[in-house]
Amino acid sequence: MKQNFWTKCLAVALLIIGLGLVFNQQIADFLVKEMTRSSLTKKTVTVTQKKGDFNFKKVKQASSTTIAKESVINQATGMIGKISFPAVNLKLPIFYGISNANLLRGAGTMKADQKMGQGNYALAGHHMNNP
């Protein structure tokens, strides 16, 4: 009786792992979309309230593991603005700094001293596979 129970548990676990591997990209795309959507619903903060990270060397490629970790641990610096591209139906939050946490949720500011609405305003973002 116990052996039958453990066999069923193992079969269910293997099925879940297999589905996770097959639908890996779709799960990652869904998590990024949800992180972006939830960030867009939050209130914007002023730049003086937040400290940003502007070190390009710390930015890592967006992978399934980094997306999964970031969806659980929210380390984004807080949204300072929004950007919209109606032609492609894209709305993104703008965060202060270019940390991985910021770039997985939206766009990040590339320079600490730039002011929104004054001169050139450089933004960075991750290239995602889902168009």
Side-chain angles (χ1 to χ4, degrees):
M1 190 76 166
K2 279 189 175 184
Q3 185 179 10
N4 191 19
F5 171 75
W6 289 111
T7 304
K8 288 181 182 178
C9 287
L10 179 63
V12 169
L14 289 175
L15 179 66
I16 291 171
I17 291 170
L19 288 173
L21 291 172
V22 169
F23 296 107
N24 184 26
Q25 188 61 49
Q26 289 87 348
I27 294 168
D29 291 342
F30 173 77
L31 290 175
V32 167
K33 185 177 179 180
E34 284 303 307
M35 288 188 298
T36 301
R37 186 192 58 74
S38 68
S39 294
L40 282 169
T41 60
K42 294 179 181 172
K43 190 175 181 180
T44 59
V45 297
T46 59
V47 174
T48 56
Q49 294 174 335
K50 295 292 176 183
K51 295 179 182 176
D53 187 5
F54 297 92
N55 188 353
F56 286 110
K57 293 179 182 179
K58 289 184 180 178
V59 176
K60 303 274 191 268
Q61 183 177 356
S63 68
S64 298
T65 54
T66 57
I67 292 169
K69 285 179 189 175
E70 198 52 49
S71 68
V72 176
I73 303 168
N74 182 7
Q75 297 178 345
T77 59
M79 182 178 61
I80 60 170
K82 299 176 186 179
I83 189 167
S84 177
F85 301 97
V88 292
N89 194 25
L90 180 66
K91 294 178 185 175
L92 292 174
I94 299 173
F95 296 98
Y96 186 65
I98 55 168
S99 67
N100 272 335
N102 292 349
L103 295 181
L104 287 174
R105 287 173 173 76
T109 58
M110 294 185 64
K111 298 178 183 174
D113 58 350
Q114 60 189 7
K115 298 207 184 317
M116 205 176 296
Q118 296 178 2
N120 291 335
Y121 196 76
L123 295 174
H126 272 304
H127 169 74
M128 299 294 185
N129 293 332
N130 187 353

